[in-house]
Amino acid sequence: MQASMRRLALCPLGVTRLGKIPSPCLLSPCIRTLFSETGVWEKDYRTETRRRVEEWWHPRIMAHGRKDAPEEGSNRKKFYVLSMFPYPSGRLHMGHVRVYTISDTIGHFQRMRGHQVLNPMGWDAFGLPAENAAIERGLDPGEWTKSNIQSMREQLDSLGLCFNWDREVTTCLPDYYRWTQYLFIKLFKAGLAYQKEAVVNWDPVDQTVLADEQVDEKGRSWRSGALVEQKLLTQWFIKTTNYAKPLLDALADLPEWYGVKAMQANWIGECTGCYFDFKLKLNGEETGETLSAYSSSPETVFGAAYLAILPSHRLLHGSSSVRSALEKVFQPGRDCLTEVTARNLFTSQEVPLVISHREAFDGYLDTVIGIPDCSEEDLSVARALNLMWTTVLKSDEDGTQTLINSNEFSGLTRQQAFESITQKAREQKVGGHLTSSKLRDWLISRQRYWGTPIPVVHCGSCGAVAVPEEELPVVLPKLPSLKGKGASPLDAAHDWVNCKCPRCKGPARRETDTMDTFVDSAWYYFRYTDPHNNHRPFERHLADHWLPVDVYIGGKEHAVMHLYYARFLSHFCRDQGLVAHREPFRKLLVQGLIKGQTFRLADSGQYLKREEIDFTDKEPVALDGGCVEVTWEKMSKSKHNGLDPQEVVQQYGLDTVRLYILYAAPPEQDILWNVKTDALPGVLRWQSRLWQLVTKLRGARQLGGIPNPSVLKKKDLAETKKIWENKNYAIQEVTAHFTEDFLFNAAISRLMGLTNTLSSATVRVVQHSVEFEEALAALIMMTAPMAPHLASEVWAGLCQVQNPLTPILQQGGDVLQQSWPNVDPEYLDVPDFVELSVLINNKPCGTVTVPLQVSKDFERVQRLVLESPLGQKHLGEHNIKRAILSPRTALINFLTDE
């Protein structure tokens, strides 16, 4: 009603006195208005028009997104589009805008295709930045994080991004990390979470342990940049190596991971060997130490002569009970035989422990099994130390090798024994999981406060005991202050640390390390399917309905670690019967960075602001005369090359920024943010031209008379056919780009091409052809996922055109509620015959109709042409030297004697 009153208020007084509501009309350029508000169409798309369009449509598009939330029991096909959730730093950056624009575009597109879309959002909210901020500012990290989340959610909403906020998850809240702890206990009970002393990477600035993956090639911390130190600490690990081979093999089931598959495969390595478990003995007595040792030839494990460790091994540097025995005989640079022996839990054989002269084994190995039958080096060591071993390989006349002296495996070929021995070791839970020498277990301990507490208590009698599931979550206690130095801050929470053992009820202490944030993000895609469940992490039927994620979108920097951990946990959940699928992500869209131009002093490397540069000459120089290096780097405040997304949106508009991000480069490539390039002017012009097309149609229909396709002449009909073909070609290409390769820049280029075709249409075709109307409708609908505000307004203007010819414009609803356009069936019809152009000596002389199925068969085409009336007339008496059948077009060229 209010909208109607506004329309009446803007009508000429004489018209309203006659009781007539004015028909939508072209408004003079001097008045600024909006069709959706007033029913009056403005001729041109100006900056003020853009601002009002976005103000009007932003809340309506957001409301439509909330209304279209997924419903359980819907018979619509599901589509799960997921963008990697952000750390709540408090401010969005342009990288966020890029990834979420892509996911929002795909979400709108799939809804228009009739799918039930899940496009959730949450917060990777634990981690060092919040704790460091709390230390520096004397704040509670929880309150700091909560405030940042509120700020960032407002920023995301201001960008018009239609997330399913009713499924929001926040990893630092107990209702989330309760289930992170639940999954940890599942791993613990399965023997996949364990604690051991290890030489670890220590960040002296952030005062915490780093996984190997978090140290760069220069030996510096990925977060603080500090030079990493080596420290021996008791740490928690997850035995991801047990899943190395399944994770490697499953990459074959991910054809649409493209380059990331190779990165994952390289990270895992070739899984050609395995570990076996050993119990250490000293003076004939078991020490309680268990050691896992690697063999690249597990089929020959019965031929082991010794176990070798590196001089850097934890047994020589930690609190091991065999340390003194090892130190007593250790001599650097020599293979040292020790008094310690190791009993293989698979073969029951006992072999001596040797400290190797080597500084490193293959990959990251620190313990290997010496088998003389398989290695000249192992043979040399065994002989030098006068060790005994059993020969386990026999070579047959045909060159194959079979096993001997290997219990029930004797007589098997090496390959058969490899399969049988590793399988039985797995069944006995004493090793046998195929892995590579370069892969290590996942180190998850962090000596910091702001993380998920590890749900384990340490009892003097019972050892490490998991907290009972019914007592979860183990809630992170409030601490009066944080210092962030040395040991875990949780050591200071005495009332929290001191507890009772769940098993014997005796005194115990809680684990004071917290989990790495990669654990939180390894399963969040499951929680989105059932975010409010208080009884379990998620219902299986809901996870099975939504998983696998149809498209997972995120940055290149997560192509290895996060994806590897997420895949591991998904495989584990499948083995636990929690879900049906092993692989969590069907398609992967890894997007590049948005880089800004940086200016650095050549001598000192100091970054300069733009206002500190003199651009008057061809080469920029510093205002004080210093030479300047100009590069493109990831946007950063410290480099003075960052952009505030809200300022960019304020300057250019939401749709312009969205289109620029999608058009400037394919998703996988970096964008060099430069508003002077062709991309920004190009999308600005295209929006104006799209608006002009609606203006053109509305103007043509106001020329008088009802549209009548029968008045179109032959030339007009040829033009309408071209429009029809271009429309169908655009639908075909854009749909493929949205579903297969995500080349949104190519999709926009195709829509610009259709815009050119429609812009060149004659007034008669615009006024009287249904093809123009349908093509313009399809163009606007295909633009809608990428520029929803503009598309919504021009759709409203198009649907109110006088005397519409196509039913599409009369079915009601905003553009995002329309069905995605389909290619007309007749466009896809393959003709039975084709018209083949015939050239003689490169000169056209006519056409011959040939069956489509033989149109690429050179000999049959040549015979048909020669037998045709055209061939008999022009070629019958000529000597044909050569004939060329085009592989791309329906054309044959005969070269003859003149």
Side-chain angles (χ1 to χ4, degrees):
M1 182 68 186
Q2 290 177 344
S4 299
M5 292 301 293
R6 280 198 298 272
R7 291 192 186 99
L8 289 172
L10 287 158
C11 293
L13 186 60
V15 176
T16 56
R17 282 178 179 166
L18 292 173
K20 297 177 183 177
I21 296 177
S23 61
C25 55
L26 293 174
L27 196 67
S28 107
C30 61
I31 301 175
R32 298 287 179 266
T33 184
L34 191 64
F35 178 81
S36 293
E37 280 187 285
T38 65
V40 180
W41 183 260
E42 186 175 344
K43 185 177 179 181
D44 297 311
Y45 190 60
R46 298 179 173 85
T47 301
E48 176 63 17
T49 312
R50 183 263 300 162
R51 185 187 63 77
R52 296 191 66 183
V53 163
E54 292 182 355
E55 282 181 358
W56 174 266
W57 283 106
H58 178 272
R60 287 159 177 79
I61 290 169
M62 297 294 286
H64 171 64
R66 289 190 294 271
K67 185 179 177 183
D68 198 41
E71 298 176 2
E72 192 172 346
S74 171
N75 58 6
R76 289 188 291 163
K77 187 178 178 182
K78 72 93 180 177
F79 194 92
Y80 188 175
V81 55
L82 179 62
S83 41
M84 294 179 184
F85 62 174
Y87 175 76
S89 61
R91 296 297 300 172
L92 289 180
H93 55 68
M94 291 306 296
H96 290 131
V97 178
R98 188 180 193 188
V99 66
Y100 302 139
T101 294
I102 291 171
S103 68
D104 193 60
T105 296
I106 293 172
H108 283 313
F109 164 71
Q110 293 293 349
R111 287 187 200 96
M112 293 178 74
R113 296 185 84 202
H115 291 161
Q116 187 178 36
V117 173
L118 178 59
N119 182 16
M121 178 48 64
W123 311 98
D124 192 7
F126 273 136
L128 284 171
E131 187 165 344
N132 289 342
I135 292 167
E136 292 165 10
R137 304 168 196 176
L139 301 172
D140 175 69
E143 292 302 316
W144 187 82
T145 301
K146 182 179 176 181
S147 172
N148 285 351
I149 287 173
Q150 179 63 29
S151 174
M152 288 182 73
R153 179 163 175 178
E154 290 171 1
Q155 292 170 62
L156 289 170
D157 282 344
S158 73
L159 294 172
L161 300 165
C162 294
F163 291 115
N164 299 119
W165 284 113
D166 58 321
R167 293 173 181 260
E168 181 180 16
V169 301
T170 304
T171 61
C172 69
L173 296 181
D175 65 357
Y176 183 90
Y177 68 71
R178 169 187 182 180
W179 303 113
T180 306
Q181 294 172 339
Y182 170 90
L183 292 170
F184 175 89
I185 290 171
K186 289 279 187 188
L187 289 161
F188 183 75
K189 290 180 177 178
L192 294 174
Y194 66 96
Q195 199 175 24
K196 72 170 184 179
E197 269 191 324
V199 178
V200 296
N201 304 306
W202 180 258
D203 184 327
V205 172
D206 281 335
Q207 296 277 299
T208 194
V209 168
L210 301 172
D212 294 314
E213 311 87 77
Q214 295 169 326
V215 181
D216 68 18
E217 64 277 3
K218 296 179 181 176
R220 295 186 177 276
S221 165
W222 74 317
R223 189 178 295 280
S224 72
L227 201 59
V228 170
E229 301 169 357
Q230 297 298 298
K231 228 178 185 185
L232 190 71
L233 294 173
T234 300
Q235 300 288 289
W236 282 96
F237 294 83
I238 293 176
K239 197 173 284 191
T240 52
T241 50
N242 278 20
Y243 278 78
K245 188 66 163 66
L247 287 167
L248 182 66
D249 291 345
L251 291 173
D253 301 326
L254 301 171
E256 296 177 272
W257 274 41
Y258 306 115
V260 176
K261 280 176 64 171
M263 296 169 71
Q264 288 269 309
N266 182 61
W267 177 258
I268 296 169
E270 291 190 29
C271 298
T272 53
C274 72
Y275 288 92
F276 289 97
D277 291 339
F278 291 77
K279 289 284 188 183
L280 298 187
K281 299 173 76 174
L282 182 61
N283 299 323
E285 298 291 326
E286 288 204 355
T287 65
E289 294 268 5
T290 300
L291 201 58
S292 292
Y294 186 83
S295 173
S296 57
S297 302
E299 72 280 9
T300 61
V301 68
F302 284 89
Y306 62 90
L307 222 60
I309 63 171
L310 293 175
S312 60
H313 197 281
R314 64 179 177 85
L315 293 178
L316 276 159
H317 302 275
S319 57
S320 168
S321 58
V322 301
R323 177 176 174 176
S324 59
L326 299 180
E327 288 178 327
K328 189 166 63 178
V329 299
F330 174 56
Q331 297 180 48
R334 295 186 61 181
D335 293 313
C336 304
L337 183 63
T338 74
E339 297 176 354
V340 179
T341 59
R343 182 172 63 86
N344 189 323
L345 298 184
F346 179 70
T347 66
S348 297
Q349 293 175 330
E350 197 167 309
V351 294
L353 185 68
V354 171
I355 304 171
S356 176
H357 74 281
R358 297 175 58 174
E359 292 298 318
F361 296 138
D362 290 344
Y364 288 118
L365 299 176
D366 63 3
T367 310
V368 297
I369 305 173
I371 305 175
D373 278 9
C374 298
S375 162
E376 287 294 330
E377 183 178 355
D378 293 356
L379 177 62
S380 174
V381 172
R383 283 176 173 167
L385 297 176
N386 200 27
L387 302 179
M388 303 291 291
W389 70 91
T390 302
T391 297
V392 292
L393 290 176
K394 181 185 74 172
S395 295
D396 299 328
E397 291 181 1
D398 61 1
T400 61
Q401 291 183 307
T402 55
L403 263 67
I404 57 174
N405 302 320
S406 301
N407 291 358
E408 73 264 34
F409 307 103
S410 296
L412 298 179
T413 66
R414 287 192 72 169
Q415 184 58 43
Q416 291 170 336
F418 182 97
E419 302 291 341
S420 299
I421 286 174
T422 53
Q423 180 179 340
K424 189 164 184 180
R426 290 194 296 271
E427 291 170 356
Q428 294 179 354
K429 300 187 185 305
V430 292
H433 295 276
L434 298 183
T435 186
S436 74
S437 61
K438 65 192 296 186
L439 193 65
R440 287 195 273 192
D441 286 336
W442 179 12
L443 169 60
I444 66 159
S445 289
R446 297 295 179 267
Q447 288 67 44
R448 295 304 294 253
Y449 167 74
W450 193 237
T452 297
I454 295 174
V456 169
V457 299
H458 297 280
C459 172
S461 302
C462 306
V465 181
V467 173
E469 291 174 9
E470 61 271 17
E471 293 182 18
L472 299 178
V474 176
V475 178
L476 200 61
K478 292 276 187 182
L479 293 182
S481 65
L482 292 171
K483 295 177 182 175
K485 299 294 181 186
S488 170
L490 287 173
D491 279 331
H494 302 296
D495 292 342
W496 180 85
V497 170
N498 295 310
C499 61
K500 289 185 178 180
C501 172
R503 191 175 293 163
C504 71
K505 308 305 178 187
R509 286 176 57 84
R510 292 192 188 278
E511 174 60 58
T512 56
D513 282 358
T514 54
M515 297 187 210
D516 181 26
T517 55
F518 276 118
V519 184
D520 306 319
S521 60
W523 75 280
Y524 77 113
Y525 50 90
F526 283 132
R527 187 63 174 173
Y528 279 139
T529 68
D530 194 11
H532 308 298
N533 195 325
N534 293 321
H535 304 289
R536 52 186 57 86
F538 46 84
E539 289 288 351
R540 174 167 174 164
H541 77 276
L542 292 174
D544 287 349
H545 170 71
W546 286 108
L547 269 290
V549 173
D550 293 280
V551 183
Y552 193 32
I553 311 164
K556 291 176 183 175
E557 64 272 24
H558 300 299
V560 174
M561 286 190 292
H562 163 63
L563 286 174
Y564 177 71
Y565 300 144
R567 292 181 62 225
F568 160 77
L569 204 68
S570 184
H571 278 239
F572 172 73
C573 287
R574 166 68 168 73
D575 289 346
Q576 292 288 309
L578 297 176
V579 289
H581 298 93
R582 284 198 183 278
E583 286 298 326
F585 313 120
R586 178 176 286 121
K587 279 189 178 182
L588 198 63
L589 202 170
V590 178
Q591 105 278 353
L593 301 171
I594 296 186
K595 294 183 175 181
Q597 202 169 29
T598 59
F599 305 93
R600 283 196 300 180
L601 287 174
D603 54 356
S604 66
Q606 177 189 347
Y607 287 96
L608 300 176
K609 299 176 183 178
R610 291 191 74 90
E611 52 266 32
E612 297 173 319
I613 309 290
D614 181 357
F615 292 98
T616 53
D617 291 333
K618 186 176 180 181
E619 297 294 331
V621 294
L623 291 177
D624 61 7
C627 292
V628 172
E629 294 176 350
V630 183
T631 58
W632 293 90
E633 298 183 40
K634 182 179 179 179
M635 288 185 175
S636 165
K637 285 182 182 177
S638 63
K639 297 173 183 175
H640 309 300
N641 69 340
L643 289 170
D644 183 333
Q646 289 178 304
E647 290 179 5
V648 176
V649 167
Q650 185 68 30
Q651 184 174 358
Y652 297 106
L654 275 174
D655 285 341
T656 303
V657 172
R658 287 171 67 105
L659 289 170
Y660 177 87
I661 283 172
L662 297 172
Y663 184 55
E668 297 85 6
Q669 294 182 13
D670 295 338
I671 291 177
L672 307 182
W673 188 275
N674 185 351
V675 296
K676 295 179 181 178
T677 61
D678 289 341
L680 189 73
V683 296
L684 285 168
R685 281 194 306 271
W686 180 47
Q687 291 174 88
S688 295
R689 296 184 72 200
L690 198 57
W691 186 279
Q692 285 292 334
L693 286 174
V694 176
T695 301
K696 184 176 182 177
L697 178 61
R698 293 175 64 86
R701 292 291 167 84
Q702 289 175 358
L703 294 176
I706 296 174
N708 181 9
S710 65
V711 305
L712 297 175
K713 298 183 169 27
K714 185 177 180 180
K715 184 179 179 182
D716 301 325
L717 294 174
E719 188 179 331
T720 61
K721 184 180 179 183
K722 178 184 174 184
I723 290 172
W724 178 82
E725 288 174 343
N726 282 3
K727 176 202 76 172
N728 281 289
Y729 181 58
I731 293 172
Q732 195 173 47
E733 291 291 298
V734 171
T735 304
H737 289 313
F738 271 63
T739 55
E740 295 170 16
D741 55 23
F742 304 112
L743 295 179
F744 302 107
N745 59 320
I748 292 171
S749 293
R750 178 48 47 208
L751 295 179
M752 288 177 171
L754 181 57
T755 304
N756 291 340
T757 300
L758 296 178
S759 298
S760 63
T762 60
V763 173
R764 183 192 293 270
V765 166
V766 174
Q767 186 176 5
H768 295 288
S769 79
V770 68
E771 288 83 1
F772 183 93
E773 218 175 80
E774 288 178 345
L776 181 52
L779 173 61
I780 295 169
M781 286 189 279
M782 289 188 285
T783 303
M786 298 181 286
H789 307 85
L790 170 65
S792 295
E793 182 64 14
V794 291
W795 180 260
L798 177 63
C799 288
Q800 294 300 320
V801 71
Q802 290 182 9
N803 302 310
L805 293 169
T806 174
I808 297 171
L809 304 185
Q810 302 171 52
Q811 56 196 20
D814 296 334
V815 68
L816 290 173
Q817 296 170 294
Q818 305 305 310
S819 295
W820 186 259
N822 293 313
V823 174
D824 294 320
E826 53 268 35
Y827 181 78
L828 299 174
D829 288 345
V830 178
D832 295 328
F833 295 88
V834 294
E835 291 293 314
L836 185 79
S837 298
V838 179
L839 280 65
I840 300 176
N841 295 324
N842 302 314
K843 296 177 182 177
C845 67
T847 61
V848 173
T849 302
V850 299
L852 177 67
Q853 61 188 23
V854 303
S855 61
K856 299 299 179 186
D857 186 326
F858 170 73
E859 292 185 359
R860 296 181 68 179
V861 168
Q862 179 174 281
R863 187 171 69 249
L864 288 169
V865 172
L866 292 175
E867 292 173 353
S868 70
L870 182 141
Q872 291 174 3
K873 177 180 178 181
H874 294 285
L875 295 166
E877 297 180 0
H878 286 79
N879 178 35
I880 299 171
K881 295 191 294 185
R882 187 183 175 199
I884 304 165
L885 180 64
S886 171
R888 290 181 295 277
T889 58
L891 179 149
I892 189 168
N893 187 12
F894 290 92
L895 303 179
T896 68
D897 291 330
E898 294 292 346

